[in-house]
Amino acid sequence: MQGLMMNTPLLITSLIQFAAQYHSDTPIVTRSTEGPVRRSSYGEIFARAQRLANALIDYGIKPGDRIATVAWNTDRHIELYYAISGIGAICHTVNLRLADEELIYILNHAEDRLVFFDTDMAEIVARVQPHTKSVERFIAMSDAAHQPEVAPADTVDYESFIAAASEHHDWAVFDENTAASMCYTSGTTGDPKGVLYSHRATVLHAMASCYASTLNLRTEDVVLPVVPMFHVNAWGIPYSAPIAGTPLVMPGPKLDGQSLFELMDAEGVTMALGVPTVWMNLLDHMDKLGRKPAALESVVIGGAAASEAIIDRFELDHGVTVNHAWGMTEMSPLGVVNTLKPKFHGLSRDQQMPIKLKQGRAIYGVDMCIVDDDGQELPRDGMTSGRLLVKGPWIVSEYFKAGESALTPDGWFDTGDIATLDADGYMLITDRAKDIIKSGGEWISSVGLENAAVGHPAIKQAAVIGVAHPKWLERPLLVCVPAGDERPDLDEIRSYLAEKVPKLWLPDALEWLDSLPLGATGKVLKADLRDRFAGYTVG
Ligand code: ADP
């Protein structure tokens, strides 16, 4: 027997419609690419998204067409999210830090018809334009007075593009499984792959993001997503904040510690989200001033592991709560978020720390299990580690144009992460499957060793890779960026680490670099380090 309830499709438009209706005057503040801070609101964003939707249809955009954005976190970018998906087209957010060849590959693979770009991206866009096969028109996300000097021919400015269009739009109602947006994976292994999000997945993910035990978005918060809108939809914040009527502060192109601090301080930001490298820079600035941005209460750290050092600096030095989170482009991205269950509240800080360092706790909507190399499920005992598999309504099933399932025969997605799970649902990533160091018969967690190493006062950043060893096949090489002038030797670092990690993990070699190679999403490029230290042997 079927239930007798309404079958209202879960469409992205409903999110902004809700916010425009009930949180119309709630501010959306943007540090614009042009420079000054610009003030908009949910009401205004919705009105302008209606205008933009009409302009796109007037131009000839049809359902299913792909439209690229090469843009920072701004109010106009939010308008694009809603207008493009709302007419049944696909908002393809392109990572603007990619190399030209990767940009060209992605634009051609997606067959984008239009490209909306921020004006500081004009030179890059002009360089790649001759190599694009499907792009008909480039739109500079500014007004007529702020046009870039170099830009592809026929570039029109955003404000002129929408100026003549009507401010009223009858939003279409269609199947909730329709594609809404697309983001390519970083492509650290092989060509980048397109993840095509549906309306249904995006709305469910947005609702789940608001749970108190996930991001706990509240009407009384002021949220700043440092994580870019071109990187898994800024972890879904432009979709989840409208549900909670949460004010947003969009940082535009200035993501250095001082600029973020000043914006957060001035706009009363209570919560911010980003990757560890961003927070290191903010923390350095906070230390310099001896205070936190006035209203900042919490930060969410994801995309790479949060170390004990970074958690302590936020929590102990500045009274800012840290919530660790984990996800992937293929997961929209939220997988787990770390909040402490009440039974852990009474523990000492030292006892809580191993739990806080875990990537997070299971959230309703993401099924997880760990398996061995033969696919046999492993115990959820917090000790045994295995390949982490996930399943759920906001997880990829197939990559764009791949023509084949991305799943295991029983319908799981293999994350490529090695993790432990415990009975409470806490998940700890011990490594990427491709980064783990196989020493003799034992596995050494590069992430675990890196996290321990950055606790040393002389080490600012650390990366661990496996290098060849005649007896053990592979042993860890620790590559560090110094925090100051001091560069302790291997023996000193080994004795520091000896209290923190198993003896077997202690690095066999140490190298100092001025900086680590970072990829387009701010993560350390281990592949570059492996190339750099190719042929390195120890033992
Ligand atoms: P994102 O960087 O948004 O998480 P990607 O798809 O680029 O998305 O990368 C996903 C991978 O990043 C994960 O599979 C995992 O290896 C790593 N990752 C994400 N969050 C964390 C975290 N909190 N700790 C450790 N690794 C993480």
Side-chain angles (χ1 to χ4, degrees):
M1 190 184 285
Q2 294 272 295
L4 297 173
M5 307 304 281
M6 288 190 198
N7 194 2
T8 315
L10 301 174
L11 297 180
I12 284 174
T13 313
S14 67
L15 303 169
I16 194 72
Q17 264 169 333
F18 174 81
Q21 182 129 50
Y22 299 112
H23 303 281
S24 177
D25 56 358
T26 296
I28 311 289
V29 175
T30 297
R31 168 155 15 224
S32 67
T33 317
E34 297 89 335
V37 166
R38 192 165 55 226
R39 291 176 193 280
S40 183
S41 63
Y42 280 118
E44 212 175 306
I45 294 254
F46 182 60
R48 284 168 53 86
Q50 307 222 65
R51 215 185 258 283
L52 177 57
N54 290 328
L56 292 170
I57 290 173
D58 293 347
Y59 175 85
I61 296 299
K62 299 274 181 288
D65 285 348
R66 272 81 67 201
I67 298 176
T69 61
V70 183
W72 300 106
N73 292 8
T74 67
D75 46 3
R76 288 192 181 109
H77 206 173
I78 304 180
E79 292 161 16
L80 282 158
Y81 265 36
Y82 283 103
I84 296 171
S85 304
I87 62 167
I90 295 158
C91 180
H92 169 207
T93 52
V94 179
N95 187 334
L96 48 73
R97 298 198 184 104
L98 293 177
D100 287 8
E101 312 83 72
E102 292 168 304
L103 281 174
I104 293 163
Y105 173 86
I106 285 177
L107 293 172
N108 287 338
H109 190 265
E111 298 176 72
D112 295 302
R113 286 187 62 191
L114 302 177
V115 174
F116 286 79
F117 65 96
D118 265 324
T119 47
D120 59 341
M121 292 293 121
E123 277 184 34
I124 297 173
V125 168
R127 272 202 316 267
V128 304
Q129 185 259 340
H131 308 281
T132 59
K133 298 192 178 123
S134 54
V135 182
E136 300 157 19
R137 193 100 205 245
F138 288 82
I139 296 119
M141 290 164 69
S142 190
D143 55 20
H146 294 91
Q147 281 316 286
E149 281 169 21
V150 187
D154 279 348
T155 292
V156 61
D157 74 274
Y158 184 96
E159 296 303 326
S160 304
F161 185 75
I162 66 171
S166 151
E167 207 177 89
H168 177 77
H169 183 78
D170 283 324
W171 294 99
V173 176
F174 41 78
D175 179 359
E176 63 183 15
N177 291 301
T178 303
S181 64
M182 180 154 69
C183 182
Y184 279 74
T185 59
S186 340
T188 41
T189 46
D191 281 332
K193 297 190 273 264
V195 179
L196 193 56
Y197 307 105
S198 66
H199 283 256
R200 173 187 156 81
T202 304
V203 172
L204 289 172
H205 177 268
M207 290 165 79
S209 304
C210 295
Y211 303 157
S213 58
T214 54
L215 299 183
N216 188 22
L217 291 182
R218 300 172 305 174
T219 317
E220 53 270 53
D221 274 316
V222 178
V223 170
L224 186 147
V226 188
V227 49
M229 290 174 73
F230 56 75
H231 186 199
V232 218
N233 300 325
W235 298 348
I237 293 293
Y239 301 119
S240 48
I243 295 179
T246 306
L248 290 176
V249 178
M250 308 302 274
K254 288 196 165 172
L255 304 179
D256 61 284
Q258 181 176 346
S259 303
L260 283 176
F261 185 98
E262 287 168 4
L263 190 63
M264 288 180 178
D265 204 38
E267 299 299 334
V269 169
T270 60
M271 177 190 174
L273 307 93
V275 296
T277 38
V278 159
W279 297 135
M280 301 288 283
N281 296 334
L282 179 73
L283 279 166
D284 287 347
H285 196 71
M286 284 160 66
D287 287 350
K288 205 155 91 192
L289 300 186
R291 70 175 183 95
K292 63 174 187 169
L296 188 64
E297 290 169 13
S298 69
V299 292
V300 178
I301 304 185
S307 64
E308 181 167 353
I310 214 171
I311 297 177
D312 276 349
R313 284 177 78 188
F314 268 120
E315 298 198 339
L316 299 181
D317 299 354
H318 296 285
V320 174
T321 305
V322 170
N323 291 111
H324 201 181
W326 164 85
M328 309 181 72
T329 307
E330 286 90 337
M331 300 177 68
S332 297
L334 276 191
V336 297
V337 182
N338 202 326
T339 53
L340 286 184
K341 279 190 170 180
K343 64 179 173 185
F344 302 126
H345 288 180
L347 298 181
S348 69
R349 189 166 175 86
D350 281 353
Q351 290 166 322
Q352 283 178 350
M353 191 48 79
I355 310 169
K356 289 169 83 75
L357 284 170
K358 295 190 175 193
Q359 270 62 26
R361 183 154 63 84
I363 57 183
Y364 174 78
V366 180
D367 256 359
M368 297 184 287
C369 72
I370 48 169
V371 298
D372 64 17
D373 283 340
D374 299 325
Q376 294 304 310
E377 188 166 351
L378 295 167
R380 292 162 200 258
D381 57 9
M383 314 267 289
T384 316
S385 61
R387 300 184 77 91
L388 177 65
L389 308 186
V390 292
K391 198 183 255 192
W394 55 82
I395 296 168
V396 72
S397 65
E398 188 177 320
Y399 293 102
F400 183 57
K401 290 184 175 173
E404 58 176 14
S405 169
L407 309 181
T408 65
D410 32 353
W412 293 87
F413 176 74
D414 186 334
T415 61
D417 286 323
I418 307 292
T420 66
L421 275 179
D422 70 19
D424 288 307
Y426 287 93
M427 185 274 281
L428 172 74
I429 293 194
T430 50
D431 226 325
R432 287 295 285 168
K434 59 181 166 31
D435 292 339
I436 205 146
I437 295 154
K438 294 185 174 166
S439 180
E442 300 288 336
W443 286 8
I444 298 172
S445 158
S446 65
V447 175
L449 196 47
E450 287 155 10
N451 285 344
V454 290
H456 191 288
I459 299 179
K460 185 174 177 196
Q461 283 170 294
V464 173
I465 55 170
V467 290
H469 186 282
K471 180 166 173 207
W472 303 112
L473 297 179
E474 237 186 359
R475 290 293 302 157
L477 160 67
L478 174 64
V479 183
C480 296
V481 177
D485 295 334
E486 206 195 331
R487 296 186 176 203
D489 63 12
L490 179 64
D491 284 345
E492 184 185 330
I493 298 294
R494 278 172 64 101
S495 48
Y496 170 80
L497 290 171
E499 292 165 20
K500 304 189 177 288
V501 300
K503 190 158 178 288
L504 171 90
W505 289 21
L506 293 176
D508 287 34
L510 168 69
E511 292 287 340
W512 294 94
L513 293 182
D514 291 337
S515 63
L516 294 177
L518 294 184
T521 55
K523 297 186 203 190
V524 175
L525 292 174
K526 293 261 178 102
D528 281 20
L529 283 179
R530 282 191 205 102
D531 286 349
R532 177 169 184 151
F533 293 105
Y536 201 102
T537 48
V538 288

